[in-house]
Amino acid sequence: MPSYEPLSRLLEPGTTVLLTVECQEGVVGADSALPELAEAARAGGALANVARLVAAAHAGGVQVVHAVAERRPDGRGASRNARLFRAAARLPVQQVAGTPAVRVAAPIEVAEEDLVVRRLHGLSPLTGTDVDPLLRNLGCRTLIVTGVSANVAVPNAVFDAVNRGYTVVVPADAIEGVPSDYTPAMIRHTLALVATVATTDEVLACLERPGGIRRA
């Protein structure tokens, strides 16, 4: 069961947004820059669960926001102040703007009404991007966070959302990191302290409930 309060009270009509984090071809696709992470996301079912949640959100009128990390071909504006950034710059697959690497990965479907927010710097989908003002303009109070990775971007998204006053729901089986035993430990000892942890099926039960979530 969710660890904070019943999902039905958190996932109120018109005030819930579903966020996918770095679910892009160059991260979780067949030609990923991070094949171990891509394999974990696919084999463990996280990517399929994100797709299920997105489909339910589309059917139920819940706004979906896709957060994509990319870089310019010349690297201008990219962060270089951490080991992670320097290592990423040397990977054989680059998340270059306008290339297949930065397309939202199958089986996730992007609907016309979805918002795709791209960032050129940093670790978080919220800090220094359009995500926070868009959420406020949408009347968001509860943010469902899904995607990768549980090592870096997902915790950043959760903490930043909580710091900005949003209530966060994390479907534990719709996020993934490496190694495989790290994600459940991080959820239990870190994310569960600040977010409501649920399963994909529990969230879907709320999204799909009769007369469920509809955005005006």
Side-chain angles (χ1 to χ4, degrees):
M1 291 295 293
S3 60
Y4 173 43
E5 64 178 283
L7 286 176
S8 59
R9 292 208 295 267
L10 297 179
L11 302 179
E12 290 293 331
T15 61
T16 298
V17 172
L18 173 64
L19 177 70
T20 76
V21 178
E22 296 184 24
C23 292
Q24 57 202 74
E25 289 289 349
V27 177
V28 295
D31 297 318
S32 170
L34 304 164
E36 183 183 2
L37 177 60
E39 172 63 19
R42 290 181 175 275
L47 191 62
N49 284 332
V50 175
R52 292 171 64 205
L53 289 163
V54 168
H58 290 159
V62 176
Q63 181 67 55
V64 178
V65 178
H66 304 282
V68 173
E70 64 181 32
R71 60 185 285 123
R72 287 169 48 111
D74 60 9
R76 284 184 185 272
S79 300
R80 297 180 177 84
N81 59 329
R83 177 183 173 190
L84 175 65
F85 301 130
R86 296 190 291 272
R90 297 192 297 270
L91 292 173
V93 177
Q94 292 292 305
Q95 314 300 319
V96 176
T99 69
V102 297
R103 295 176 189 164
V104 176
I108 299 169
E109 294 187 2
V110 181
E112 184 177 356
E113 64 269 20
D114 292 0
L115 297 172
V116 180
V117 180
R118 304 178 182 278
R119 78 177 194 275
L120 293 172
H121 62 85
L123 300 170
S124 171
L126 274 75
T127 297
T129 74
D130 290 336
V131 171
D132 182 35
L134 289 173
L135 294 179
R136 295 191 184 283
N137 289 346
L138 291 163
C140 177
R141 295 181 62 188
T142 300
L143 185 66
I144 306 170
V145 177
T146 67
V148 297
S149 74
N151 303 76
V152 178
V154 167
N156 267 272
V158 171
F159 288 136
D160 285 351
V162 171
N163 284 332
R164 286 162 172 77
Y166 302 103
T167 296
V168 178
V169 172
V170 176
D173 51 354
I175 68 171
E176 190 58 82
V178 289
S180 59
D181 59 352
Y182 173 76
T183 301
M186 188 277 298
I187 292 170
R188 179 179 179 182
H189 299 292
T190 302
L191 296 189
L193 302 178
V194 296
T196 293
V197 177
T199 66
T200 293
D201 286 344
E202 287 170 338
V203 174
L204 287 173
C206 293
L207 298 185
E208 297 169 348
R209 66 183 183 262
I213 299 178
R214 291 279 171 185
R215 184 169 295 279

